[in-house]
């Protein structure tokens, strides 16, 4: 040990500090720089050699072989082998680097797979492009095993619900019944399933959207007044919504399940035994329309099929949710309309009026403006919207004729979601189906607020326009209890509830129920102008069986109730749910109801500027026709649309609200390019021109034109053995010099491709382009087999809403 106390510190200072970097000398710095420069130059030379050196060497080698008189074929084989090996090496290294990146960051997996498939020009399943959509083959396997048991349940629904609905749809079908039902051995399939996230649903529910496809060789016998026919080759496609609510803390953890179709399903079938009644003109379409309407009335939203899993759970909230909002429509004026009435003296004129149809349940006709091609209406009305994402505003203008059918002056269509996303839309809309003409429309979206503080402002806004309201009242009628017996045979009589609301000509009426068990479970929606002063009157009446056939039966009053709407303004949430005692009845007589008031609150103008391309420019389809509302006038028969304009049925989709409403099946509608066929429910396959048909789905998404080649059928024979063909499809975007083709399906005249071809194009370029779709036969070198099997041309400008998947059959020419 050193005697100097400072020696230790001195020795420590002489030792190198391992935590501090040793400073390099000038020579080391120069050496490092030199090595870096040398490494860079070496890498550059290596890359140049890999890209150009080897190819140059191959060229020199080919020249040497040629100078020695060797066969040119061997030169090309050798050159191709070397170049193929180099390309394979580069691709393998790129894939290795890609998977190394994915291993380090798993969130990049989907993008890596997309890039890999795009480079190989191969198609991808929808669950790659839409990761929130899942393939559910395991469910399909379960359905396949359960199908024999499910058939009995489906047959009961057809007999007990669909059959009576068809019989009540028309007097000509009063004797309709199913005589035989064989649903075949092919079960329905789920193409994809989307489960909504927590932020898209309420806290007490689980929501799924399923793509249901059922193509069966069924054989169902039907009879109408002892005349028989058969129904076969059923094709059923729909987007099905499944809602599970409420969620419970004990088994079975779900209170009820509600099933509905988001929009009208596509239903197609063939009829046999046409030698009898179905030869009658119009009878075939009448039957198809009746079947479609019966399905719509049972399960198409807002109608639902609810299965209660727990006996004491209230399913009324699941079955009858509040609407999404109220749409205020202003029909202002039009200009440059067609002059349909010829005048002997003076210019030709028209007598125009407008019919606005929203969804299936609302239709409004304006007044007629006589002899004016630039009319002004300035009419306003409110429409209750139960489904933002799948409701469409159809605008039709007509020239009124006293003796003849009213002439069409043009049509246009707009998705309700376009208004919801912006709050307020005021635009001149160009009319189609005519040479000229436009109409000025204004749309306002009103949210349903549950705060009474918004009422004064809403009343002030509604005072400025006729036929507008400040609030919306929801009336859910459950049942009546302890009704008084006022006639002797009351136990065999029926009971009905009449609800009289302000500003409504006819009262609401419930269905007739038995006196012994008066349960209605019905909901009514009524706009209210001023809840501070308006009252509602309820009357329970008793109707005898022999009085039901009379249209003007009055019945005997069993109890009444007058309710002032202002009472709801003092309650939390402006809702009340209880047993109301009835007047003019026994002390125990009650009416169980739930009343909810919502104030109309104008949504602030927001979102992107309105784009004219959002006008779908399509007349209302027959499937949208409904019974007139109190403000409705009969719609004249419109001019038949041209084939190009009637090619597609448009369904509003996409985007979700801040809080998922029960009608927000929007997102799942885009979960696959070929998700649900957009053909009209009554549209049949086009006539075969002798060369077969091809099914395509076309849409524009994220600056890409997507063409899904689904399948083809009845193609011509091209092979030398005169038995089959090897088809593939080539798609060319005319005007853009772009083309791609599908894989080859060997030895098939009914090939299934299911392959998507994408083209990088803006929506403006797409609108200016046409598609040339050619079905060709794959042949060998110097083959004499026929190549061209058929071609179609599609004008993309005739597809009004390319943001939606549009699917249909095309006949090859």
């Amino acid at each position: 040990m050193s005697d100097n106390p400072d020696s230790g510190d001195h020795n420590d200072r002489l030792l190198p500090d391992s935590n501090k970097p040793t400073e390099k000398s000038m020579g080391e710095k120069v050496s490092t720089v030199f090595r870096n420069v040398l490494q860079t130059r070496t890498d550059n030379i290596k890359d140049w050699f890999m890209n150009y050196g080897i190819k140059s060497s191959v060229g020199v080698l080919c020249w040497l072989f040629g100078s020695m008189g060797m066969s040119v074929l061997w030169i090309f084989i050798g050159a191709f082998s070397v170049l193929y090996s180099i390309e394979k090496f580069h691709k393998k290294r790129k894939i290795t680097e890609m998977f190394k990146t994915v291993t380090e960051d798993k969130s990049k997996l989907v993008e890596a797979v997309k890039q890999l498939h795009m480079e190989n020009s191969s198609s991808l399943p929808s669950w790659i492009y839409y990761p929130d959509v899942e393939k559910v083959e395991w469910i399909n396997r379960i359905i396949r095993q359960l199908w024999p048991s499910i058939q009995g349940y489906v047959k009961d629904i057809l007999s007990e619900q669909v059959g009576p609905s068809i019989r009540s749809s028309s007097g000509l079908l009063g004797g309709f019944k199913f005589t035989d039902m064989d649903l075949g051995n092919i079960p329905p399939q789920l193409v994809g399933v989307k489960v909504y996230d927590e932020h898209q649903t309420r806290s007490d529910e689980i929501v799924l959207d399923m793509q249901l496809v059922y193509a069966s060789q069924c054989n169902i016998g039907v009879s109408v007044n002892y005349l028989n026919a058969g129904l076969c080759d059923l094709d059923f496609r729909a987007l099905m919504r499944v809602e599970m609510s409420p969620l419970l803390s004990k088994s079975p953890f779900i209170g009820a399940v509600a099933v509905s179709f988001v929009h009208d399903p596509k239903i197609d079938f063939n009829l046999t035994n046409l030698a009898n009644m179905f030869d009658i003109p119009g009878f075939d379409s009448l039957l198809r329309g009746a079947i479609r309407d019966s399905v719509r009335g049972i399960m198409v939203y807002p109608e639902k099929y609810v299965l209660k899993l727990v006996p004491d759970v209230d399913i009324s909230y699941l079955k009858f949710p509040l609407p999404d909002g109220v749409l205020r429509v202003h029909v202002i004026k039009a200009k440059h309309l067609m002059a349909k009435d010829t005048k002997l003296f003076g210019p030709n004129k028209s007598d125009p009026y407008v019919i606005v149809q929203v969804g299936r349940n609302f239709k409004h006709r304006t007044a007629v403006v006589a002899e004016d091609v630039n009319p002004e209406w300035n009419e306003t009305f409110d429409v209750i919207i139960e489904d933002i994402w799948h409701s469409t505003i159809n605008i039709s203008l007509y020239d009124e004729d006293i003796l003849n059918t009213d002439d069409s002056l043009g049509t246009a269509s707009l998705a309700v979601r376009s208004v919801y996303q912006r709050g307020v839309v005021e635009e001149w809309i160009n009319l189609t189906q005519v040479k000229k003409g436009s109409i000025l429309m204004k749309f306002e979206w009103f949210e349903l607020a549950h705060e009474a503080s918004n009422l004064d402002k809403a009343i002030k806004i509604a005072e400025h326009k006729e036929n507008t309201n400040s609030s919306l009242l929801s009336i859910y009628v459950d049942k009546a209890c302890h009704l008084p017996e006022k006639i002797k045979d009351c136990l065999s009589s029926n009971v009905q509830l009449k609800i009289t609301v302000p500003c409504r000509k006819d009262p609401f009426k419930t269905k007739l129920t038995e006196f012994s068990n008066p349960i209605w479970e019905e909901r009514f929606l009524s706009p209210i102008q001023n809840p501070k002063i308006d009252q509602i009157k309820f009357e329970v009446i008793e109707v005898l069986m022999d009085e039901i056939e009379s249209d003007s039966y009055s019945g005997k009053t069993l109890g009444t109730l007058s309710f002032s709407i202002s009472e709801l303004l003092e309650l939390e949430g402006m809702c009340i749910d209880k047993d109301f005692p009835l007047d003019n009845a026994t002390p125990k007589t009650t009416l169980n109801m739930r009343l909810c008031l919502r104030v109309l609150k104008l949504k602030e103008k927001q979102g992107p500027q309105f784009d004219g391309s959002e006008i779908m420019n399509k007349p209302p389809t027959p499937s949208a026709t409904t019974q007139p509302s109190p403000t409705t006038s009969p719609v004249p028969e419109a001019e038949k649309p041209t084939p190009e304009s009637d090619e597609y049925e448009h369904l509003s989709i996409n985007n979700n609200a801040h809080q998922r409403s029960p009608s927000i099946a929007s997102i799942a509608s885009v979960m696959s390019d070929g998700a649900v066929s957009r053909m009209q429910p009554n549209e049949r396959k086009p006539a075969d021109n002798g060369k077969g048909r091809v099914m395509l789905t076309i849409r524009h998404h994220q600056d890409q034109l997507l063409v899904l080649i689904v399948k083809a059928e009845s193609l011509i024979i091209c092979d030398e053995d005169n038995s089959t063909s090897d088809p593939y499809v080539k798609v060319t975007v005319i005007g853009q010099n772009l083309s791609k083709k599908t894989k080859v399906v060997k030895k098939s005249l009914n090939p299934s491709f299911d392959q998507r071809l994408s083209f990088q194009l803006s929506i403006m370029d797409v609108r200016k382009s046409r598609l040339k779709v050619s079905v060709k036969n794959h042949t060998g070198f110097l083959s004499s087999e026929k190549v061209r099997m058929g071609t179609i041309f599609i004008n993309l400008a005739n597809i009004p809403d390319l943001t939606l998947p549009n699917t249909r059959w095309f006949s090859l020419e």
Side-chain angles (χ1 to χ4, degrees), residues 206-339:
I206 298 174
V207 181
L208 302 86
D209 281 341
M210 302 179 176
Q211 293 171 320
L212 180 66
V213 176
Y214 179 43
S216 173
Q217 298 177 347
C218 66
N219 189 2
I220 301 176
V222 297
S223 173
V224 180
N225 299 328
Y226 304 103
L227 299 176
N228 299 320
L231 185 152
C232 62
D233 298 332
L234 176 65
D235 186 8
F236 185 93
R237 299 170 185 267
L239 181 62
M240 186 169 65
R241 159 68 55 81
V242 178
E243 298 172 87
M244 305 177 187
S245 178
L247 303 183
L248 308 175
S249 58
K250 59 182 180 179
S251 179
F253 307 110
I254 297 172
V257 177
V259 180
S260 62
F261 296 126
V262 174
H263 44 65
D264 289 346
K266 182 255 178 182
I267 305 175
D268 193 15
F269 53 85
N270 292 323
L271 293 172
T272 60
N273 299 333
L274 298 182
N276 45 49
M277 62 178 176
F278 292 103
D279 283 339
I280 302 175
F283 214 106
D284 177 80
S285 59
L286 178 64
L287 177 61
R288 294 178 183 273
I291 293 176
R292 184 178 63 249
D293 293 341
S294 64
V295 173
R296 178 191 302 148
I298 296 172
M299 285 189 63
V300 176
Y301 189 87
E303 303 297 332
K304 301 178 182 180
Y305 183 81
V306 181
L307 178 63
K308 184 185 290 188
L309 303 180
V310 178
D312 57 347
V313 168
D314 183 6
I315 63 173
S316 62
Y317 292 96
L318 180 61
K319 193 172 183 178
F320 302 109
L322 288 174
D324 290 345
V326 171
L327 177 69
R328 183 159 295 169
V329 181
H330 304 260
V331 184
I332 303 175
K333 58 184 177 180
K335 63 181 180 181
H336 308 315
L337 298 180
M338 297 287 293

Side-chain angles (χ1 to χ4, degrees), residues 62 65-66 69-81:
C62 292
F65 284 165
M70 297 184 67
S71 173
V72 178
L73 180 61
W74 286 106
I75 297 174
F76 280 110
I77 292 175
F80 176 78
S81 301

Side-chain angles (χ1 to χ4, degrees), residues 329-334 354 366 369 374-380 425-428 439-443 465:
V329 181
H330 304 260
V331 184
I332 303 175
K333 58 184 177 180
V354 183
T366 67
V369 179
N374 298 290
E376 294 188 12
W377 293 280
N378 292 313
E379 294 190 19
T380 304
V425 172
E426 184 173 1
E427 289 288 331
W428 280 99
I439 183 171
L440 178 61
M441 302 287 296
K442 181 179 180 181
F443 305 98
K465 292 285 186 180

Side-chain angles (χ1 to χ4, degrees), residues 143-151 154 183-188 214:
I143 295 176
R144 194 176 302 119
Q145 296 183 45
L146 287 175
W147 182 234
S149 302
I150 296 176
Q151 285 195 47
V154 176
L183 300 181
N185 298 323
I186 302 177
Y214 179 43

